[in-house]
Amino acid sequence: MNKILLGRYLPGSSLIHRLDPRAKLLLSFYFIIIIFLANNWSSYFLLFFFMALTILLAKIKIGFFWKGVRPLIWLILFTVVLQIFFSTGGTVYWHWGILSVTSTGLVSGIYVFCRFVLIIFMSTLLTLTTPPLEIAGAMESLLKPLKKVHFPVYEVSLMLSIALRFVPTLMDEALKIMNAQRSRGVNFDQGSLMQRLKAVVPLLIPLFVSAFNRAEDLATAMEARGYHGGEGRTKYRVHQWLYHDTLSCLAFLALTIGMLLLRNW
Amino acid sequence: MEKIAEIKNLNFKYSQQDSWLFHDFNLAINRYEWLAIIGHNGSGKSTLARLIDGLLVPQAGEIWIDQQKMSSENVWQLRKKIGMVFQNPENQFVGANVADDVAFGLENQAVPYEKMHQRVAAALKRVNMWEFSEQEPANLSGGQKQRVAIAGVIALKPKIVILDEATSMLDPAGRYDVISLIKELKEQEGLTVISITHDIDEASLADRVVVLDDGKILDAASPANVFSQGQTLTNLGLDVPFSEKVKLALKQQDVLTPSEYYTEQRMVDWICQSILKK
């Protein structure tokens, strides 16, 4: 279970760690959009340079980023291979039926690879430097304008934070039920597809039932502690926009200008 | 003595039940009292706790908290005077980490930012969990989670604390820890404690023990009086304190034992004396 990098947070006190989570969330999204502006080698070089700079600032070992890429490596390679074999244009190096390797194909394959890696690196950086709770909090304050159209912002963010808080609990429980069922003779990793699907039932049903019980207990405990809806609550965690948040926005602005210049070189 | 909570002619049943769980039930709880409610499974202990907190609504009868009658209008007001600690430490942990969980109740009461941070810090220091304030529940032991739940309760400064089998999922060390913490808090903050429990050692700490059997009060007296009728309790499916067990075993050896309830220490003294006499 600890192979999963999703939502893993590495505590630290670097500049990137201390950034306002709202800024981090917005800027990460912005970076992903910016990536699609890149259309030549120099612009990709700039993006990688920028990425390397932020990773250095976050003081996180590059190995963690590789772990983020690894689960998706087959998807990436598949897309890259498709790009290489099915693109046309430029010098033809190799040709067989509808498959051909061309110079544009090779270049766009490498571009696709770069895009994937950059997107994964940035999202990994976001989750590694921001506690899930802060991401949930940031989402709540960013979604606030939606309150005007009666979108239940507070409820959604409460659900998100409770869901995040129960992920490890439910994982533990799933493992416990699995072992309990194994000790009764259920075989989870052998047999045909159908048999395996059937073996999951004695895991899923107890897990569901216990999730219901947990939900009821939690709702009672929340009510006993005076929770009656999102209205009229104060907040324990308040985000503060500091000067280094503005600074990072300026850095992204510089990056955008640089990208636009390089794009039309 | 001044009553902090009073239940008058309470009638309650769950919708799926045919017979009344509580029928014309009366109970008064004194201010600054430690009341233990014991009884077998299904005797209505936890339901009683939920009725006192207004989490369940009785079909008939009145519940008075701190000189105010509970109604659907003032239930949120009255609930502020009551803090509850539930059985399962995992399932009552609302916050994503310790400090957020303690703050949850304060957020609900719209306590201002500065004051909230002070009260969260004070409550966590009070239960010796301050150094864990940024920890997630997955990294805490059962006893630690239960201490966080208590911190969440005392941060709200309630007058009544209800422990709904709060120690039943803890190991003996964690149980001792939680109980002695509550005892200390009760003295210092002037709390009224209602402890619902299977644990007989916990009940023996109380000022008064109420024995509940199918929604009826079988006995309400000091622990000494309740535990002296060892056999009746055993017949109800309840346990008796260790000193009573020793007495029972001695009786079977035809040793003449005192009829009143002795604490463990008194029992030790008594045994030492009786050996000296021989």
Side-chain angles (χ1 to χ4, degrees), chain A residues 133 165 168-169 214 217-218 220-228 232-238, chain B residues 53 76 79 86 90-93 95-97 99-101 103-104 107-108 110-111 113 116-117:
Chain A
L133 169 75
R165 174 245 168 283
T169 311
R214 274 183 203 284
D217 279 2
L218 186 70
T220 316
M222 284 169 72
E223 211 185 327
R225 286 164 73 181
Y227 177 76
H228 52 288
R233 290 182 96 236
T234 47
K235 289 199 72 69
Y236 180 70
R237 274 172 210 280
V238 176
Chain B
D53 201 21
W76 292 104
R79 203 170 278 164
F86 293 91
E90 191 71 62
N91 293 0
Q92 60 180 314
F93 206 109
N97 65 31
D100 280 84
D101 189 61
F104 180 75
E107 289 180 327
N108 291 333
V111 175
Y113 181 82
M116 180 161 21
H117 277 257

mmCIF file of all heavy atoms in Angstrom, chain A residues 133 165 168-169 214 217-218 220-228 232-238, chain B residues 53 76 79 86 90-93 95-97 99-101 103-104 107-108 110-111 113 116-117:
data_model
loop_
_atom_site.group_PDB
_atom_site.id
_atom_site.type_symbol
_atom_site.label_atom_id
_atom_site.label_comp_id
_atom_site.label_asym_id
_atom_site.label_seq_id
_atom_site.Cartn_x
_atom_site.Cartn_y
_atom_site.Cartn_z
ATOM 1 N N LEU A 133 -4.819 18.221 3.805
ATOM 2 C CA LEU A 133 -5.744 19.116 4.493
ATOM 3 C C LEU A 133 -5.678 20.543 3.954
ATOM 4 O O LEU A 133 -6.681 21.209 3.766
ATOM 5 C CB LEU A 133 -5.345 19.096 5.965
ATOM 6 C CG LEU A 133 -5.966 20.114 6.878
ATOM 7 C CD1 LEU A 133 -7.380 19.713 7.157
ATOM 8 C CD2 LEU A 133 -5.173 20.181 8.151
ATOM 9 N N ARG A 165 -9.214 12.268 5.479
ATOM 10 C CA ARG A 165 -8.857 11.815 6.807
ATOM 11 C C ARG A 165 -9.133 10.321 6.980
ATOM 12 O O ARG A 165 -8.454 9.641 7.734
ATOM 13 C CB ARG A 165 -9.624 12.653 7.832
ATOM 14 C CG ARG A 165 -9.494 12.253 9.268
ATOM 15 C CD ARG A 165 -10.852 11.781 9.760
ATOM 16 N NE ARG A 165 -10.802 11.114 11.025
ATOM 17 C CZ ARG A 165 -10.395 9.873 11.176
ATOM 18 N NH1 ARG A 165 -9.917 9.200 10.177
ATOM 19 N NH2 ARG A 165 -10.435 9.295 12.353
ATOM 20 N N PRO A 168 -6.502 6.562 5.155
ATOM 21 C CA PRO A 168 -5.655 5.562 5.827
ATOM 22 C C PRO A 168 -6.442 4.612 6.721
ATOM 23 O O PRO A 168 -6.129 3.421 6.782
ATOM 24 C CB PRO A 168 -4.685 6.408 6.665
ATOM 25 C CG PRO A 168 -5.123 7.796 6.577
ATOM 26 C CD PRO A 168 -6.130 7.936 5.510
ATOM 27 N N THR A 169 -7.485 5.129 7.397
ATOM 28 C CA THR A 169 -8.297 4.287 8.269
ATOM 29 C C THR A 169 -8.950 3.158 7.488
ATOM 30 O O THR A 169 -8.921 1.999 7.893
ATOM 31 C CB THR A 169 -9.389 5.143 8.935
ATOM 32 O OG1 THR A 169 -8.792 6.298 9.484
ATOM 33 C CG2 THR A 169 -10.088 4.378 10.019
ATOM 34 N N ARG A 214 -19.396 3.647 10.539
ATOM 35 C CA ARG A 214 -18.491 4.747 10.834
ATOM 36 C C ARG A 214 -19.183 6.078 10.577
ATOM 37 O O ARG A 214 -19.081 7.007 11.371
ATOM 38 C CB ARG A 214 -17.267 4.672 9.936
ATOM 39 C CG ARG A 214 -16.190 3.805 10.477
ATOM 40 C CD ARG A 214 -14.986 3.860 9.551
ATOM 41 N NE ARG A 214 -14.160 2.691 9.713
ATOM 42 C CZ ARG A 214 -13.345 2.516 10.733
ATOM 43 N NH1 ARG A 214 -13.259 3.426 11.665
ATOM 44 N NH2 ARG A 214 -12.626 1.412 10.827
ATOM 45 N N ASP A 217 -21.587 6.858 13.374
ATOM 46 C CA ASP A 217 -20.867 7.273 14.580
ATOM 47 C C ASP A 217 -20.333 8.684 14.439
ATOM 48 O O ASP A 217 -20.441 9.509 15.347
ATOM 49 C CB ASP A 217 -19.682 6.332 14.834
ATOM 50 C CG ASP A 217 -20.110 5.058 15.525
ATOM 51 O OD1 ASP A 217 -21.319 4.914 15.763
ATOM 52 O OD2 ASP A 217 -19.241 4.217 15.805
ATOM 53 N N LEU A 218 -19.748 8.940 13.272
ATOM 54 C CA LEU A 218 -19.134 10.244 13.039
ATOM 55 C C LEU A 218 -20.185 11.343 13.053
ATOM 56 O O LEU A 218 -19.986 12.409 13.639
ATOM 57 C CB LEU A 218 -18.387 10.238 11.707
ATOM 58 C CG LEU A 218 -17.580 11.482 11.397
ATOM 59 C CD1 LEU A 218 -16.375 11.563 12.311
ATOM 60 C CD2 LEU A 218 -17.130 11.507 9.956
ATOM 61 N N THR A 220 -23.052 11.333 14.600
ATOM 62 C CA THR A 220 -23.487 11.561 15.984
ATOM 63 C C THR A 220 -22.469 12.396 16.736
ATOM 64 O O THR A 220 -22.819 13.349 17.439
ATOM 65 C CB THR A 220 -23.665 10.219 16.713
ATOM 66 O OG1 THR A 220 -24.345 9.326 15.856
ATOM 67 C CG2 THR A 220 -24.444 10.384 17.984
ATOM 68 N N ALA A 221 -21.191 12.033 16.571
ATOM 69 C CA ALA A 221 -20.142 12.765 17.291
ATOM 70 C C ALA A 221 -20.102 14.221 16.846
ATOM 71 O O ALA A 221 -19.905 15.124 17.662
ATOM 72 C CB ALA A 221 -18.784 12.109 17.062
ATOM 73 N N MET A 222 -20.316 14.443 15.536
ATOM 74 C CA MET A 222 -20.291 15.814 15.034
ATOM 75 C C MET A 222 -21.454 16.610 15.587
ATOM 76 O O MET A 222 -21.306 17.784 15.958
ATOM 77 C CB MET A 222 -20.332 15.817 13.504
ATOM 78 C CG MET A 222 -19.007 15.455 12.880
ATOM 79 S SD MET A 222 -19.137 15.145 11.126
ATOM 80 C CE MET A 222 -19.408 16.789 10.510
ATOM 81 N N GLU A 223 -22.621 15.969 15.642
ATOM 82 C CA GLU A 223 -23.794 16.661 16.153
ATOM 83 C C GLU A 223 -23.612 16.983 17.636
ATOM 84 O O GLU A 223 -23.935 18.077 18.081
ATOM 85 C CB GLU A 223 -25.036 15.794 15.937
ATOM 86 C CG GLU A 223 -26.277 16.629 15.732
ATOM 87 C CD GLU A 223 -27.518 15.776 15.645
ATOM 88 O OE1 GLU A 223 -27.420 14.646 15.138
ATOM 89 O OE2 GLU A 223 -28.577 16.247 16.091
ATOM 90 N N ALA A 224 -23.048 16.014 18.368
ATOM 91 C CA ALA A 224 -22.834 16.240 19.800
ATOM 92 C C ALA A 224 -21.869 17.387 20.038
ATOM 93 O O ALA A 224 -21.885 18.009 21.094
ATOM 94 C CB ALA A 224 -22.300 14.972 20.451
ATOM 95 N N ARG A 225 -21.010 17.667 19.047
ATOM 96 C CA ARG A 225 -20.067 18.765 19.210
ATOM 97 C C ARG A 225 -20.577 20.045 18.564
ATOM 98 O O ARG A 225 -19.809 20.973 18.334
ATOM 99 C CB ARG A 225 -18.711 18.362 18.658
ATOM 100 C CG ARG A 225 -18.035 17.379 19.606
ATOM 101 C CD ARG A 225 -16.906 16.662 18.971
ATOM 102 N NE ARG A 225 -15.775 17.534 18.797
ATOM 103 C CZ ARG A 225 -14.640 17.138 18.231
ATOM 104 N NH1 ARG A 225 -14.519 15.906 17.808
ATOM 105 N NH2 ARG A 225 -13.659 17.965 18.092
ATOM 106 N N GLY A 226 -21.871 20.057 18.291
ATOM 107 C CA GLY A 226 -22.509 21.311 17.897
ATOM 108 C C GLY A 226 -22.448 21.634 16.417
ATOM 109 O O GLY A 226 -22.644 22.777 16.036
ATOM 110 N N TYR A 227 -22.188 20.637 15.567
ATOM 111 C CA TYR A 227 -22.153 20.935 14.136
ATOM 112 C C TYR A 227 -23.565 21.015 13.581
ATOM 113 O O TYR A 227 -24.306 20.039 13.640
ATOM 114 C CB TYR A 227 -21.359 19.864 13.374
ATOM 115 C CG TYR A 227 -21.368 20.105 11.892
ATOM 116 C CD1 TYR A 227 -20.567 21.101 11.347
ATOM 117 C CD2 TYR A 227 -22.200 19.397 11.052
ATOM 118 C CE1 TYR A 227 -20.591 21.363 10.003
ATOM 119 C CE2 TYR A 227 -22.231 19.650 9.696
ATOM 120 C CZ TYR A 227 -21.424 20.627 9.177
ATOM 121 O OH TYR A 227 -21.454 20.900 7.851
ATOM 122 N N HIS A 228 -23.957 22.155 13.060
ATOM 123 C CA HIS A 228 -25.250 22.219 12.396
ATOM 124 C C HIS A 228 -25.136 23.036 11.111
ATOM 125 O O HIS A 228 -25.686 24.107 10.983
ATOM 126 C CB HIS A 228 -26.350 22.734 13.318
ATOM 127 C CG HIS A 228 -26.021 24.020 14.009
ATOM 128 N ND1 HIS A 228 -25.094 24.081 15.028
ATOM 129 C CD2 HIS A 228 -26.478 25.268 13.849
ATOM 130 C CE1 HIS A 228 -25.010 25.342 15.445
ATOM 131 N NE2 HIS A 228 -25.841 26.082 14.738
ATOM 132 N N GLY A 232 -22.309 30.189 9.731
ATOM 133 C CA GLY A 232 -21.985 30.720 11.049
ATOM 134 C C GLY A 232 -20.864 29.996 11.752
ATOM 135 O O GLY A 232 -20.874 29.863 12.970
ATOM 136 N N ARG A 233 -19.877 29.512 10.991
ATOM 137 C CA ARG A 233 -18.722 28.889 11.626
ATOM 138 C C ARG A 233 -17.514 29.805 11.459
ATOM 139 O O ARG A 233 -17.431 30.553 10.498
ATOM 140 C CB ARG A 233 -18.412 27.543 10.966
ATOM 141 C CG ARG A 233 -19.419 26.474 11.252
ATOM 142 C CD ARG A 233 -18.993 25.169 10.585
ATOM 143 N NE ARG A 233 -18.280 24.305 11.488
ATOM 144 C CZ ARG A 233 -17.086 23.815 11.275
ATOM 145 N NH1 ARG A 233 -16.430 24.140 10.189
ATOM 146 N NH2 ARG A 233 -16.506 23.014 12.134
ATOM 147 N N THR A 234 -16.601 29.720 12.416
ATOM 148 C CA THR A 234 -15.323 30.383 12.215
ATOM 149 C C THR A 234 -14.324 29.322 11.785
ATOM 150 O O THR A 234 -14.625 28.143 11.826
ATOM 151 C CB THR A 234 -14.857 31.071 13.502
ATOM 152 O OG1 THR A 234 -15.022 30.152 14.569
ATOM 153 C CG2 THR A 234 -15.629 32.319 13.766
ATOM 154 N N LYS A 235 -13.128 29.753 11.407
ATOM 155 C CA LYS A 235 -12.152 28.779 10.918
ATOM 156 C C LYS A 235 -10.895 28.777 11.756
ATOM 157 O O LYS A 235 -10.416 29.828 12.172
ATOM 158 C CB LYS A 235 -11.804 29.058 9.458
ATOM 159 C CG LYS A 235 -12.948 28.735 8.529
ATOM 160 C CD LYS A 235 -12.484 28.567 7.112
ATOM 161 C CE LYS A 235 -11.710 27.310 6.878
ATOM 162 N NZ LYS A 235 -12.500 26.105 6.974
ATOM 163 N N TYR A 236 -10.383 27.570 12.011
ATOM 164 C CA TYR A 236 -9.158 27.433 12.798
ATOM 165 C C TYR A 236 -7.950 27.771 11.937
ATOM 166 O O TYR A 236 -6.992 28.349 12.394
ATOM 167 C CB TYR A 236 -9.058 26.007 13.327
ATOM 168 C CG TYR A 236 -7.835 25.740 14.166
ATOM 169 C CD1 TYR A 236 -7.712 26.313 15.424
ATOM 170 C CD2 TYR A 236 -6.825 24.915 13.707
ATOM 171 C CE1 TYR A 236 -6.603 26.072 16.203
ATOM 172 C CE2 TYR A 236 -5.713 24.668 14.482
ATOM 173 C CZ TYR A 236 -5.602 25.253 15.730
ATOM 174 O OH TYR A 236 -4.505 25.009 16.487
ATOM 175 N N ARG A 237 -8.004 27.355 10.678
ATOM 176 C CA ARG A 237 -6.893 27.607 9.769
ATOM 177 C C ARG A 237 -7.249 28.731 8.813
ATOM 178 O O ARG A 237 -8.209 28.627 8.060
ATOM 179 C CB ARG A 237 -6.575 26.346 8.967
ATOM 180 C CG ARG A 237 -5.651 25.477 9.734
ATOM 181 C CD ARG A 237 -5.455 24.145 9.095
ATOM 182 N NE ARG A 237 -5.192 23.194 10.164
ATOM 183 C CZ ARG A 237 -4.007 23.065 10.740
ATOM 184 N NH1 ARG A 237 -2.994 23.788 10.341
ATOM 185 N NH2 ARG A 237 -3.841 22.202 11.715
ATOM 186 N N VAL A 238 -6.488 29.794 8.869
ATOM 187 C CA VAL A 238 -6.721 30.908 7.949
ATOM 188 C C VAL A 238 -5.461 31.077 7.114
ATOM 189 O O VAL A 238 -4.353 31.117 7.637
ATOM 190 C CB VAL A 238 -7.036 32.189 8.746
ATOM 191 C CG1 VAL A 238 -7.177 33.364 7.816
ATOM 192 C CG2 VAL A 238 -8.306 32.005 9.552
ATOM 193 N N ASP B 53 -28.278 14.342 25.839
ATOM 194 C CA ASP B 53 -27.630 15.309 24.952
ATOM 195 C C ASP B 53 -28.563 15.835 23.855
ATOM 196 O O ASP B 53 -28.180 16.658 23.049
ATOM 197 C CB ASP B 53 -26.400 14.659 24.309
ATOM 198 C CG ASP B 53 -25.416 15.713 23.813
ATOM 199 O OD1 ASP B 53 -25.481 16.850 24.290
ATOM 200 O OD2 ASP B 53 -24.604 15.389 22.940
ATOM 201 N N TRP B 76 -29.639 23.230 20.767
ATOM 202 C CA TRP B 76 -28.248 23.563 20.418
ATOM 203 C C TRP B 76 -27.591 24.369 21.524
ATOM 204 O O TRP B 76 -26.391 24.256 21.769
ATOM 205 C CB TRP B 76 -28.198 24.329 19.097
ATOM 206 C CG TRP B 76 -28.597 23.480 17.941
ATOM 207 C CD1 TRP B 76 -29.786 23.519 17.273
ATOM 208 C CD2 TRP B 76 -27.836 22.435 17.332
ATOM 209 N NE1 TRP B 76 -29.794 22.562 16.294
ATOM 210 C CE2 TRP B 76 -28.622 21.883 16.296
ATOM 211 C CE3 TRP B 76 -26.563 21.906 17.574
ATOM 212 C CZ2 TRP B 76 -28.183 20.845 15.494
ATOM 213 C CZ3 TRP B 76 -26.125 20.866 16.766
ATOM 214 C CH2 TRP B 76 -26.928 20.344 15.748
ATOM 215 N N ARG B 79 -26.874 21.915 24.357
ATOM 216 C CA ARG B 79 -25.822 20.967 23.999
ATOM 217 C C ARG B 79 -24.436 21.532 24.250
ATOM 218 O O ARG B 79 -23.484 20.808 24.472
ATOM 219 C CB ARG B 79 -25.987 20.597 22.516
ATOM 220 C CG ARG B 79 -25.366 19.284 22.156
ATOM 221 C CD ARG B 79 -25.756 18.858 20.787
ATOM 222 N NE ARG B 79 -27.055 18.216 20.764
ATOM 223 C CZ ARG B 79 -27.754 18.031 19.643
ATOM 224 N NH1 ARG B 79 -27.300 18.482 18.504
ATOM 225 N NH2 ARG B 79 -28.910 17.414 19.688
ATOM 226 N N PHE B 86 -17.271 9.491 22.939
ATOM 227 C CA PHE B 86 -17.894 8.229 22.544
ATOM 228 C C PHE B 86 -16.914 7.074 22.636
ATOM 229 O O PHE B 86 -15.733 7.248 22.927
ATOM 230 C CB PHE B 86 -18.451 8.346 21.126
ATOM 231 C CG PHE B 86 -19.598 9.302 21.016
ATOM 232 C CD1 PHE B 86 -19.383 10.634 20.718
ATOM 233 C CD2 PHE B 86 -20.888 8.864 21.231
ATOM 234 C CE1 PHE B 86 -20.431 11.519 20.630
ATOM 235 C CE2 PHE B 86 -21.944 9.748 21.143
ATOM 236 C CZ PHE B 86 -21.715 11.077 20.837
ATOM 237 N N GLU B 90 -11.625 6.077 16.849
ATOM 238 C CA GLU B 90 -11.390 6.325 15.422
ATOM 239 C C GLU B 90 -12.557 7.076 14.785
ATOM 240 O O GLU B 90 -12.361 8.023 14.027
ATOM 241 C CB GLU B 90 -11.192 4.977 14.723
ATOM 242 C CG GLU B 90 -10.684 5.054 13.311
ATOM 243 C CD GLU B 90 -9.235 5.494 13.245
ATOM 244 O OE1 GLU B 90 -8.363 4.790 13.785
ATOM 245 O OE2 GLU B 90 -8.993 6.546 12.651
ATOM 246 N N ASN B 91 -13.774 6.663 15.145
ATOM 247 C CA ASN B 91 -14.949 7.178 14.428
ATOM 248 C C ASN B 91 -15.414 8.544 14.880
ATOM 249 O O ASN B 91 -16.274 9.137 14.247
ATOM 250 C CB ASN B 91 -16.121 6.203 14.568
ATOM 251 C CG ASN B 91 -15.855 4.912 13.849
ATOM 252 O OD1 ASN B 91 -14.804 4.748 13.249
ATOM 253 N ND2 ASN B 91 -16.788 4.008 13.908
ATOM 254 N N GLN B 92 -14.891 9.040 16.008
ATOM 255 C CA GLN B 92 -15.351 10.363 16.431
ATOM 256 C C GLN B 92 -14.303 11.427 16.137
ATOM 257 O O GLN B 92 -14.432 12.563 16.562
ATOM 258 C CB GLN B 92 -15.711 10.356 17.913
ATOM 259 C CG GLN B 92 -14.562 9.984 18.807
ATOM 260 C CD GLN B 92 -14.970 9.994 20.261
ATOM 261 O OE1 GLN B 92 -15.610 10.916 20.735
ATOM 262 N NE2 GLN B 92 -14.616 8.947 20.974
ATOM 263 N N PHE B 93 -13.269 11.031 15.412
ATOM 264 C CA PHE B 93 -12.190 11.967 15.078
ATOM 265 C C PHE B 93 -12.564 12.675 13.783
ATOM 266 O O PHE B 93 -12.461 12.108 12.708
ATOM 267 C CB PHE B 93 -10.891 11.177 14.904
ATOM 268 C CG PHE B 93 -9.657 11.983 15.179
ATOM 269 C CD1 PHE B 93 -8.908 11.738 16.314
ATOM 270 C CD2 PHE B 93 -9.237 12.958 14.305
ATOM 271 C CE1 PHE B 93 -7.769 12.463 16.577
ATOM 272 C CE2 PHE B 93 -8.101 13.690 14.569
ATOM 273 C CZ PHE B 93 -7.364 13.440 15.702
ATOM 274 N N GLY B 95 -11.506 15.910 12.647
ATOM 275 C CA GLY B 95 -10.488 16.727 12.005
ATOM 276 C C GLY B 95 -9.450 15.900 11.290
ATOM 277 O O GLY B 95 -9.291 14.713 11.543
ATOM 278 N N ALA B 96 -8.735 16.558 10.377
ATOM 279 C CA ALA B 96 -7.695 15.852 9.639
ATOM 280 C C ALA B 96 -6.436 15.700 10.481
ATOM 281 O O ALA B 96 -5.616 14.836 10.205
ATOM 282 C CB ALA B 96 -7.384 16.583 8.347
ATOM 283 N N ASN B 97 -6.252 16.537 11.478
ATOM 284 C CA ASN B 97 -5.181 16.299 12.441
ATOM 285 C C ASN B 97 -5.641 16.728 13.830
ATOM 286 O O ASN B 97 -6.771 17.188 13.995
ATOM 287 C CB ASN B 97 -3.872 16.966 12.015
ATOM 288 C CG ASN B 97 -3.963 18.469 11.993
ATOM 289 O OD1 ASN B 97 -4.704 19.067 12.764
ATOM 290 N ND2 ASN B 97 -3.227 19.084 11.099
ATOM 291 N N ALA B 99 -4.988 19.129 16.080
ATOM 292 C CA ALA B 99 -5.433 20.486 16.393
ATOM 293 C C ALA B 99 -6.770 20.797 15.724
ATOM 294 O O ALA B 99 -7.651 21.405 16.337
ATOM 295 C CB ALA B 99 -4.379 21.497 15.938
ATOM 296 N N ASP B 100 -6.939 20.332 14.487
ATOM 297 C CA ASP B 100 -8.205 20.593 13.785
ATOM 298 C C ASP B 100 -9.367 19.898 14.460
ATOM 299 O O ASP B 100 -10.481 20.415 14.481
ATOM 300 C CB ASP B 100 -8.111 20.091 12.350
ATOM 301 C CG ASP B 100 -7.388 21.068 11.487
ATOM 302 O OD1 ASP B 100 -6.139 21.016 11.471
ATOM 303 O OD2 ASP B 100 -8.047 21.893 10.871
ATOM 304 N N ASP B 101 -9.094 18.704 15.001
ATOM 305 C CA ASP B 101 -10.172 17.975 15.655
ATOM 306 C C ASP B 101 -10.624 18.701 16.919
ATOM 307 O O ASP B 101 -11.816 18.814 17.177
ATOM 308 C CB ASP B 101 -9.715 16.555 15.982
ATOM 309 C CG ASP B 101 -10.875 15.720 16.466
ATOM 310 O OD1 ASP B 101 -11.819 15.552 15.681
ATOM 311 O OD2 ASP B 101 -10.850 15.270 17.619
ATOM 312 N N ALA B 103 -10.338 21.823 17.426
ATOM 313 C CA ALA B 103 -10.952 23.094 17.025
ATOM 314 C C ALA B 103 -12.353 22.918 16.461
ATOM 315 O O ALA B 103 -13.120 23.877 16.421
ATOM 316 C CB ALA B 103 -10.064 23.791 15.987
ATOM 317 N N PHE B 104 -12.699 21.701 16.052
ATOM 318 C CA PHE B 104 -13.965 21.501 15.335
ATOM 319 C C PHE B 104 -15.183 22.041 16.107
ATOM 320 O O PHE B 104 -16.002 22.771 15.556
ATOM 321 C CB PHE B 104 -14.159 20.013 15.015
ATOM 322 C CG PHE B 104 -15.419 19.718 14.281
ATOM 323 C CD1 PHE B 104 -15.542 20.029 12.942
ATOM 324 C CD2 PHE B 104 -16.511 19.152 14.924
ATOM 325 C CE1 PHE B 104 -16.713 19.771 12.252
ATOM 326 C CE2 PHE B 104 -17.684 18.884 14.237
ATOM 327 C CZ PHE B 104 -17.783 19.202 12.905
ATOM 328 N N GLU B 107 -15.104 25.816 16.230
ATOM 329 C CA GLU B 107 -15.505 26.398 14.943
ATOM 330 C C GLU B 107 -17.021 26.437 14.836
ATOM 331 O O GLU B 107 -17.606 27.417 14.378
ATOM 332 C CB GLU B 107 -14.955 25.554 13.788
ATOM 333 C CG GLU B 107 -13.467 25.659 13.599
ATOM 334 C CD GLU B 107 -12.964 24.804 12.444
ATOM 335 O OE1 GLU B 107 -13.539 23.725 12.190
ATOM 336 O OE2 GLU B 107 -12.001 25.194 11.800
ATOM 337 N N ASN B 108 -17.662 25.349 15.304
ATOM 338 C CA ASN B 108 -19.118 25.283 15.242
ATOM 339 C C ASN B 108 -19.776 26.362 16.078
ATOM 340 O O ASN B 108 -20.856 26.827 15.762
ATOM 341 C CB ASN B 108 -19.610 23.921 15.733
ATOM 342 C CG ASN B 108 -19.249 22.822 14.772
ATOM 343 O OD1 ASN B 108 -19.094 23.070 13.582
ATOM 344 N ND2 ASN B 108 -19.097 21.629 15.280
ATOM 345 N N ALA B 110 -18.570 29.249 16.496
ATOM 346 C CA ALA B 110 -18.124 30.542 15.960
ATOM 347 C C ALA B 110 -17.260 31.316 16.951
ATOM 348 O O ALA B 110 -17.422 32.505 17.151
ATOM 349 C CB ALA B 110 -19.323 31.387 15.513
ATOM 350 N N VAL B 111 -16.321 30.610 17.583
ATOM 351 C CA VAL B 111 -15.369 31.274 18.476
ATOM 352 C C VAL B 111 -14.360 32.022 17.598
ATOM 353 O O VAL B 111 -13.875 31.472 16.616
ATOM 354 C CB VAL B 111 -14.644 30.227 19.350
ATOM 355 C CG1 VAL B 111 -13.559 30.869 20.196
ATOM 356 C CG2 VAL B 111 -15.646 29.502 20.235
ATOM 357 N N TYR B 113 -11.029 33.705 15.910
ATOM 358 C CA TYR B 113 -9.749 33.076 15.559
ATOM 359 C C TYR B 113 -8.740 33.055 16.707
ATOM 360 O O TYR B 113 -8.235 32.001 17.086
ATOM 361 C CB TYR B 113 -9.189 33.804 14.340
ATOM 362 C CG TYR B 113 -7.875 33.265 13.836
ATOM 363 C CD1 TYR B 113 -7.840 32.151 12.999
ATOM 364 C CD2 TYR B 113 -6.677 33.870 14.200
ATOM 365 C CE1 TYR B 113 -6.639 31.653 12.541
ATOM 366 C CE2 TYR B 113 -5.476 33.374 13.738
ATOM 367 C CZ TYR B 113 -5.456 32.269 12.912
ATOM 368 O OH TYR B 113 -4.271 31.777 12.467
ATOM 369 N N MET B 116 -9.818 31.004 19.659
ATOM 370 C CA MET B 116 -9.861 29.580 19.317
ATOM 371 C C MET B 116 -8.474 28.971 19.436
ATOM 372 O O MET B 116 -8.299 27.906 20.024
ATOM 373 C CB MET B 116 -10.415 29.419 17.902
ATOM 374 C CG MET B 116 -10.476 27.995 17.484
ATOM 375 S SD MET B 116 -11.572 27.604 16.111
ATOM 376 C CE MET B 116 -11.850 29.047 15.219
ATOM 377 N N HIS B 117 -7.457 29.679 18.902
ATOM 378 C CA HIS B 117 -6.098 29.147 18.975
ATOM 379 C C HIS B 117 -5.630 29.021 20.419
ATOM 380 O O HIS B 117 -4.976 28.053 20.781
ATOM 381 C CB HIS B 117 -5.152 30.015 18.141
ATOM 382 C CG HIS B 117 -5.188 29.656 16.689
ATOM 383 N ND1 HIS B 117 -4.210 28.919 16.088
ATOM 384 C CD2 HIS B 117 -6.126 29.873 15.747
ATOM 385 C CE1 HIS B 117 -4.527 28.716 14.828
ATOM 386 N NE2 HIS B 117 -5.685 29.295 14.587
#
